[in-house]
Amino acid sequence: GGLGGGVGAPPSPPMPNGPPPILGAVDAGLGSILSSRHVPVAIPAGAFAGGLGGPSLGQLLQPSAAEMADAQAAMDPVSAEADLAAALGMPGVGSLSSGEPKSSSAMDAMRSSLGMGYSFGAQDPLGAAAAALAGSGTESLSTGAVMEMHRTLMLRVEALVAQEQPAAAFESLPAEHALRVAAAEVRETVRAAQSAGEAALAVAQKVFKKLYEGPQGSRMHVTTHLALLEHVRDVHQRLVKELTTWVIYSDEDRKLNQEIVEGLVRARLLSLTEFDSHVAKLMNGGRHAAATEFATHLVHQCILLEPMATAADFFNVLDVLGKVAQRPGAPENLGQLVEQARNASAATLGGQRSGTPMGRTSETSRSHTPEPTLASGPGGAVSASANSLKASLSADPASDPPGLRESVAAMFEEWARLCDSPAGDEGQLAFATQLQLAGLLQCDETTERVLRILIELATAHCLSTEPPRDASLVGPHGSVPPPLNFAAIDACARLVMLLVKFLRKEAQSKEGTGGSAPVERGLHLVLFKQALDMSATVLCHDMDERGPTLNPRPFFRLFAAWLTSLAAPDPAVNPDAMSTLWPITRALLTVQPARIPGFAFAYLELIAHRAFLPRLLLAQDQKGWPLFQRLLSVMLKFMEPYLRSAKLSEPVRLLYKGTLRVLLVLLHDFPEFLCDQHFNLCDNIPPSCIQMRNLVLSAFPRNMRLPDPFTPNLKVDLLPEISQSPRILAAPDHVLLNKQMHAQVDHYMSTRQPANFCEDLRAFLLLPPHEASACGTRYNVPMLNALVLYMGMQAIAQLKSVPTTKAKGQNQILQSVQMEVFQYLVEELDTEGRYLLLNAIANQLRYPNNHTHYFSCILLYLFGDAQQEIIQEQVTRVLLERLIVNRPHPWGLLITFIELIKNPRYKFWSHGFTRCAPEIEKLFESVARSCMGPPLRSQEDDVSGVMAGLQVSE
C-alpha cells in the first residue's frame, strides 16, 4: 500500500502527564485494503484455465479501483503516528507506527453491515449542537478545531458526571439526559472533522487518559468515558486495535484494572484474542500472582457470571490457568473454574439444539447483532432442478429452530474477530474445538442448517454493498460490474475449509491411536459436501426469489475460493481424490446454466478452473472423464437454442467464445478426452457450430503421429493405424435401447426382415410436433447419430470377422445391409434429414482408425453411386463447410475430400454445382489448392491458429 497521507494538525504543547500531540497520519493505500481481505481467490490472468488471454470473468469479479476507493472512503483507514509513553506510563517505548503500516480490515465493514460485534453503537438522540454538526450544510472541521470543541465538551461532561450518583451507571440514564446528549455531540464533532480518523484517535487518547483519572470507585465516571469511547469507535473502527495496543503497553496497575478492563470487554472495545495472548504471557505460567488473579477474575466475570466472551476469546488464558490448576498447592476451585468456563462456552454454542440462541446473552450483545435479512421470502422449500440436490428439510428456512439465525450470526461475529486478530492458528483451533464441543460438527441436519444460514449471511452482506442499478460504471471495454465487498464471502469460505481441515486432523489423530471409526475418517468430506450442497441450494433459492436480477458474483467468489483451496500447500481435502471432486461436480451440476441462466459465465469459468479441470481429468483410471463430459455437455445444451441462428446477442457470442477456448485447452492438454467423448459432445453441438465441432473431431492421441494427408498416392488402407478401433466411451446402443429400437435394428441387420423396416425407420426418426418446435428440427438428431454409429460399428465387426481381399472387402461394404439402409435414407429423406444423416457420417471422420476408414468409404460410395445430383451436392456441402472454416480440420475429413476431388472415378469437377456461379467456382478452386498444397501442421499449430482467428474476429 502506498503512504498517501498528509500531515495532521499542527503539534500543540504537551500536557503534563498527558499524551503527546498527534504528529501525523498515514492513509492506508490500495495494498493495505487488499491485504485485509481474507482467503484471497487466485483467478487466472487469462479468460479461462491455461492462460488463454483476454479479459476474464475472474478479472471482472475482482474488486475494481473504484471499489477500493469506495471501501477506503467508507472505512477511513487512518493510523495515527503517536508516542504514548507519557500517557501510558512507559517512557522510551517509541513511536507505535514505526513497524508495518497498520491497515483497517474489511471485516469491520462486514460487522457493521451484519450488526455484529463492536462496530455498532447505541444511537442516542442528538442535541442541538450535534444536530447542527450533522446537517448537510456544515463545513468540515480541522483536527485543531475538533480538539478545541472536544475540550469544551469534556468540561461539560465532567460537570454533569459530578452531579450524578457515583454508584450509578451511564446505561441507566434516560435517553434525553444531558449527559447522553453531550456524549452524542462528541461523536458528531469527530464525524465532522476533515480527517475523521485522525480526529478520532486524538479524541480517544484524551478520553482514554481521563478514564483512569476519575474519582476512586466512581462507576458513573468509568461507564461515561467508556460510552464516549464507544461513540468515537462508531466513527473510526480502527480504534479497537489502537485501544488494545494502549492497554497492552500501559502500566500493570492500568492493564490489570478489573473494572475498566471488564467495561472495555463489555463495550467491545478490546481485541480479545490479542489481549488474551498478552495476559497469558504476563502470567508467566502462574508465577505472576497479580496477573494470574486478574485472569481468574476475568474468566469468572466475563464467561460465567456475565457471558460477554467465550472460551475461544480467552483460549491462551484458560490454557495457562488449566496448567496452573494441575500443580500442587493450586487453589482447589481453579480447575473447576476452567472446566466450567469451557463447558459454558460449549453449551452456549450448542444452544440452538434446544432452541436457545448461541453467543452472548447480554443486552449489549443483542443490540449489536440484529438479524440480517435476505431478499428471500419468508420460508418455503428451495426448489431444485432435475439434476440437482433433492430439497431437504434443512433447506427450508421456515423450519429452523427459533433463534438459530441470531446464533449463527453471533458465531460469525466470533469468527470475524478471529480473522482480524493476530492469534493465528491457535485461536482458530480453539474456535473449531468449541464448535465441535457444541455438537455442530456432527455433519447432521443441524450442521446443514448452520452452513446454509452462514452462506445466506455472507451473501446477504455482500449483496448489501451493491450500488443501485443505475450506478454502473463505464470502462474502456464497456460497462464495468459495480463494486462489491467480498469480505464476508471470503471469511465464510475460510471458515468452512478450517472446519474441514480440523475434522480431518481429528480423525487422523484418532486413527494414530487406533480409535477412529470409518465414519469419523470421512466426516470432513461429508462437511465439505454439505457446504457445497448448501451453497448450491442457497443459489437456487436466490434465483427463484430474484429471477433475472440475480447477482451471481458472491456465489462465484465462494465456489472459486473453495476450488482455489485445492491448490493450497496443505489442502483440507485430498484434491486429487474422487471423493473430493465428485461433490464439486454435483454442486456445479445443480447450478447449471439451464437452471440458473444468470450463473452461466460463472459456471463456465468454474468448470475450467485451473485447480479443478486438470485434477478431474487426471483422476485415477479416468474416473473424472464422464463427470467433466457431463459438465461440458450441459453447457453446450444450454447454448444450443441460442446458436441455431446466426444472429447472436453479445452475451451469447462471449459465452460461445469462452466455450471454444475451453475446448482449445482440452485439445491441447487432454486430446484423448475429446477422442473418447466425441460422440456425446457432438450430440450437443448444433450443426451450425462447425468450427466447434471441428475442434472436437480434430483431436488425436498424443502418442500417435498423423500421416500427412497431402502425401501423393497415400495408401490409407495400408496404414497400420487404420485397422485399429477407436475407444468410444459412449454407447450408441443405449440411445437405441431408450427408444425401443435396439432389437428391431439388430433383427433387421441379421435377417433383412421385415421388408418395410426402412420405411418405418424413416418415420421413427421424426419428432412429435411439440418436440420439433422446441428443438428447431423435425428429426431426432441424437437418435440419428446413434443409429449411424451403431450400424457402422456392427458393419466393421462383420468385416473383421471374415478376412478378405481389398476388392472383396469393398464389395462386402457395398452389399452389406448397413449400406442398404444408408442408401435408402439418403434417397428417401428430405433435404433436412439427408443433411443431418450426412453430418452424422462425417462426425466419424477423425484420426486414423477403422471407423474413419469405413465412414470415409461410405461417403465416397454415396457420392459415386448417387442417382440424384442433389445428393452429391449435399455430400460436397457437408465436407466443404467443414474445410472453409479456420483450422484445425480433422485428418479423416481432409483425406476424404482429397480423394473426392482427385480420383477421376467420382468426376467431381464435371458436376454443375461446382460451376453454378463464379464465386462458387473460385471457392472450389481455392479449397482444392489448399487441400493439395500445404504441409501438415501440428496440433499445437492448430490451437495457435484458432486463437489467432478468435482474436481477429473479436
Side-chain angles (χ1 to χ4, degrees):
L3 303 181
V7 178
S12 57
M15 298 176 60
N17 300 322
I22 298 293
L23 301 179
V26 180
D27 290 336
L30 180 61
S32 61
I33 295 295
L34 291 174
S35 67
S36 67
R37 293 175 178 268
H38 306 286
V39 196
V41 180
I43 303 295
F48 299 95
L52 297 172
S56 71
L57 179 65
Q59 292 170 334
L60 296 179
L61 294 179
Q62 290 288 13
S64 62
E67 177 187 357
M68 291 294 96
D70 292 342
Q72 188 175 12
M75 293 184 286
D76 190 20
V78 179
S79 176
E81 185 179 346
D83 183 2
L84 302 179
L88 305 178
M90 291 191 62
V93 172
S95 175
L96 294 178
S97 62
S98 58
E100 292 186 2
K102 301 179 177 68
S103 63
S104 174
S105 172
M107 296 302 287
D108 294 334
M110 182 196 76
R111 294 195 195 92
S112 178
S113 176
L114 291 177
M116 298 190 303
Y118 45 72
S119 60
F120 262 66
Q123 298 296 325
D124 300 325
L126 302 180
L133 286 171
S136 58
T138 304
E139 296 182 358
S140 298
L141 303 175
S142 65
T143 304
V146 170
M147 295 306 298
E148 184 62 28
M149 294 178 65
H150 172 71
R151 187 180 68 82
T152 304
L153 284 171
M154 288 304 295
L155 292 175
R156 181 169 141 211
V157 166
E158 291 173 8
L160 291 171
V161 168
Q163 297 174 9
E164 300 297 327
Q165 293 293 329
F170 181 86
E171 291 80 8
S172 64
L173 299 176
E176 66 278 2
H177 195 279
L179 195 52
R180 282 189 177 274
V181 174
E185 290 180 21
V186 171
R187 177 183 60 218
E188 297 307 317
T189 303
V190 174
R191 188 169 287 162
Q194 292 176 349
S195 179
E198 180 182 339
L201 289 177
V203 169
Q205 289 179 37
K206 297 288 187 182
V207 176
F208 183 73
K209 175 178 177 293
K210 288 290 185 182
L211 178 63
Y212 290 93
E213 296 178 352
Q216 188 70 22
S218 176
R219 186 184 179 197
M220 177 59 71
H221 173 86
V222 172
T223 55
T224 299
H225 285 76
L226 288 173
L228 292 176
L229 289 174
E230 284 189 81
H231 285 317
V232 178
R233 189 263 331 270
D234 292 340
V235 179
H236 185 50
Q237 304 294 335
R238 173 71 182 220
L239 181 60
V240 173
K241 187 172 182 62
E242 298 296 335
L243 280 172
T244 305
T245 304
W246 297 349
V247 173
I248 288 175
Y249 287 101
S250 61
D251 291 335
E252 284 192 5
D253 59 339
R254 293 189 174 186
K255 73 174 67 175
L256 301 182
N257 187 308
Q258 297 179 3
E259 181 183 11
I260 291 179
V261 171
E262 284 176 24
L264 291 171
V265 172
R266 184 180 296 108
R268 311 289 190 271
L269 292 171
L270 279 184
S271 175
L272 292 187
T273 48
E274 187 175 354
F275 186 67
D276 164 61
S277 300
H278 177 73
V279 174
K281 293 178 183 178
L282 188 64
M283 293 167 64
N284 194 18
R287 287 180 283 274
H288 193 307
T292 304
E293 181 182 354
F294 169 80
T296 304
H297 172 82
L298 202 61
V299 169
H300 183 261
Q301 185 68 30
C302 297
I303 298 181
L304 295 178
L305 292 186
E306 186 182 354
M308 63 184 80
T310 65
D313 295 325
F314 292 106
F315 173 78
N316 296 297
V317 167
L318 287 173
D319 185 55
V320 175
L321 289 177
K323 294 176 181 178
V324 172
Q326 297 175 2
R327 298 175 185 171
E332 296 180 0
N333 59 349
L334 183 57
Q336 185 179 3
L337 174 70
V338 173
E339 191 65 26
Q340 287 177 352
R342 288 171 174 166
N343 292 339
S345 296
T348 304
L349 288 171
Q352 77 279 5
R353 292 185 178 275
S354 58
T356 58
M358 170 180 59
R360 299 182 178 84
T361 57
S362 64
E363 292 299 325
T364 304
S365 175
R366 284 196 291 270
S367 66
H368 280 49
T369 52
E371 178 182 352
T373 58
L374 290 175
S376 59
V382 179
S383 59
S385 62
N387 294 322
S388 70
L389 319 163
K390 65 177 183 178
S392 63
L393 184 63
S394 62
D396 184 3
S399 64
D400 290 339
L404 178 60
R405 195 175 189 83
E406 296 86 345
S407 303
V408 178
M411 180 191 72
F412 205 12
E413 171 194 355
E414 297 297 329
W415 174 246
R417 192 175 342 156
L418 279 174
C419 289
D420 281 341
S421 71
D425 295 340
E426 291 185 357
Q428 296 178 7
L429 178 63
F431 182 83
T433 303
Q434 292 299 323
L435 294 182
Q436 186 184 44
L437 293 175
L440 299 182
L441 301 185
Q442 296 179 3
C443 298
D444 54 3
E445 184 179 327
T446 300
T447 306
E448 285 189 350
R449 292 183 187 276
V450 171
L451 289 171
R452 173 180 53 76
I453 296 174
L454 183 67
I455 294 167
E456 287 175 350
L457 290 174
T459 54
H461 162 263
C462 184
L463 294 174
S464 69
T465 64
E466 183 180 15
R469 288 278 174 179
D470 56 358
S472 59
L473 306 175
V474 177
H477 301 289
S479 61
V480 178
L484 291 178
N485 187 342
F486 293 107
I489 294 293
D490 293 343
C492 176
R494 183 177 177 184
L495 174 59
V496 169
M497 298 316 296
L498 167 74
L499 298 179
V500 172
K501 183 180 291 187
F502 173 79
L503 288 178
R504 186 200 69 188
K505 292 185 176 180
E506 282 285 303
Q508 290 175 347
S509 62
K510 291 182 180 179
E511 188 175 4
T513 59
S516 177
V519 176
E520 292 177 341
R521 288 197 294 269
L523 207 58
H524 67 292
L525 294 174
V526 177
L527 181 64
F528 183 60
K529 182 185 80 68
Q530 286 180 329
L532 291 166
D533 289 353
M534 289 300 101
S535 300
T537 299
V538 174
L539 177 54
C540 290
H541 184 267
D542 219 26
M543 171 63 190
D544 295 337
E545 293 292 333
R546 297 174 181 267
T549 63
L550 171 74
N551 190 336
R553 293 164 62 196
F555 299 96
F556 170 78
R557 179 90 171 195
L558 189 61
F559 279 110
W562 287 332
L563 292 182
T564 304
S565 68
L566 299 179
D570 182 24
V573 292
N574 184 357
D576 301 318
M578 287 305 299
S579 57
T580 299
L581 300 172
W582 162 240
I584 299 175
T585 304
R586 183 170 178 260
L588 290 176
L589 288 173
T590 302
V591 297
Q592 60 181 275
R595 173 67 174 88
I596 308 176
F599 199 66
F601 284 93
Y603 174 88
L604 182 60
E605 188 157 355
L606 287 172
I607 67 172
H609 198 283
R610 60 182 178 183
F612 176 66
L613 183 149
R615 286 182 168 83
L616 191 61
L617 294 182
L618 293 175
Q620 188 177 10
D621 299 329
Q622 299 177 350
K623 293 180 180 178
W625 287 24
L627 301 182
F628 191 76
Q629 178 268 322
R630 190 176 176 190
L631 289 171
L632 192 57
S633 293
V634 298
M635 187 76 237
L636 296 173
K637 286 180 181 178
F638 170 74
M639 291 194 301
E640 193 271 337
Y642 303 99
L643 297 177
R644 290 177 196 156
S645 62
K647 297 180 180 179
L648 302 181
S649 63
E650 190 58 26
V652 175
R653 189 184 305 275
L654 290 175
L655 200 60
Y656 172 77
K657 289 181 179 179
T659 307
L660 209 60
R661 288 172 173 175
V662 174
L663 290 174
L664 280 170
V665 172
L666 297 173
L667 179 64
H668 185 273
D669 294 340
F670 303 98
E672 290 85 359
F673 170 79
L674 294 180
C675 292
D676 294 358
Q677 297 288 351
H678 87 284
F679 177 76
N680 286 327
L681 295 177
C682 287
D683 256 359
N684 299 305
I685 297 177
S688 58
C689 298
I690 299 170
Q691 187 179 23
M692 179 178 286
R693 190 168 53 245
N694 273 359
L695 279 178
V696 175
L697 301 179
S698 297
F700 59 90
R702 279 174 290 186
N703 60 358
M704 175 181 289
R705 184 176 180 85
L706 286 183
D708 190 346
F710 306 108
T711 302
N713 301 320
L714 176 65
K715 302 298 182 181
V716 175
D717 55 321
L718 299 180
L719 296 175
E721 302 90 352
I722 214 66
S723 61
Q724 300 174 4
S725 298
R727 193 174 77 146
I728 300 178
L729 294 183
D733 53 332
H734 288 178
V735 180
L736 302 178
L737 281 172
N738 292 339
K739 296 296 183 180
Q740 292 83 40
M741 273 197 62
H742 189 269
Q744 294 93 314
V745 172
D746 282 347
H747 181 70
Y748 183 77
M749 284 193 297
S750 59
T751 64
R752 295 182 186 262
Q753 295 295 328
N756 60 346
F757 171 79
C758 291
E759 297 179 5
D760 295 340
L761 179 62
R762 182 180 61 174
F764 201 83
L765 292 174
L766 295 174
L767 289 172
H770 66 280
E771 292 185 24
S773 59
C775 295
T777 177
R778 296 191 304 119
Y779 288 89
N780 189 333
V781 178
M783 171 69 71
L784 186 57
N785 291 339
L787 178 68
V788 168
L789 180 57
Y790 181 70
M791 295 184 69
M793 292 171 65
Q794 295 300 313
I796 293 172
Q798 293 173 7
L799 291 172
K800 292 177 67 175
S801 64
V802 182
T804 58
T805 62
K806 177 180 177 181
K808 289 184 178 179
Q810 292 177 349
N811 290 332
Q812 283 184 346
I813 293 176
L814 290 174
Q815 298 171 5
S816 66
V817 63
Q818 291 85 3
M819 190 64 193
E820 178 184 321
V821 174
F822 290 148
Q823 285 182 318
Y824 177 86
L825 292 177
V826 162
E827 293 173 359
E828 298 300 326
L829 289 177
D830 60 9
T831 304
E832 179 188 5
R834 187 184 302 116
Y835 174 75
L836 294 174
L837 173 69
L838 295 174
N839 258 317
I841 296 174
N843 284 346
Q844 311 309 319
L845 304 179
R846 303 189 291 148
Y847 62 92
N849 57 67
N850 54 19
H851 285 200
T852 298
H853 188 211
Y854 174 80
F855 285 104
S856 176
C857 293
I858 291 296
L859 268 183
L860 293 173
Y861 289 152
L862 290 176
F863 183 95
D865 296 346
Q867 302 301 316
Q868 309 172 39
E869 192 173 65
I870 183 62
I871 298 176
Q872 297 169 325
E873 183 175 349
Q874 280 198 287
V875 171
T876 304
R877 175 199 170 180
V878 167
L879 296 175
L880 188 64
E881 68 183 4
R882 298 182 181 217
L883 289 171
I884 61 177
V885 299
N886 288 332
R887 53 185 171 87
H889 302 119
W891 181 88
L893 178 72
L894 289 171
I895 63 142
T896 302
F897 189 73
I898 291 173
E899 178 69 14
L900 181 64
I901 62 178
K902 287 180 61 178
N903 194 328
R905 175 180 180 273
Y906 304 111
K907 303 177 182 180
F908 179 79
W909 300 106
S910 64
H911 294 288
F913 59 80
T914 62
R915 298 183 305 276
C916 60
E919 297 83 2
I920 298 295
E921 189 172 1
K922 290 181 180 179
L923 175 64
F924 276 111
E925 291 175 358
S926 175
V927 173
R929 284 195 301 269
S930 299
C931 289
M932 304 293 287
L936 183 66
R937 301 176 183 270
S938 67
Q939 195 160 258
E940 292 191 7
D941 291 339
D942 289 339
V943 172
S944 303
V946 175
M947 285 302 304
L950 278 175
Q951 293 170 358
V952 170
S953 64
E954 290 175 4

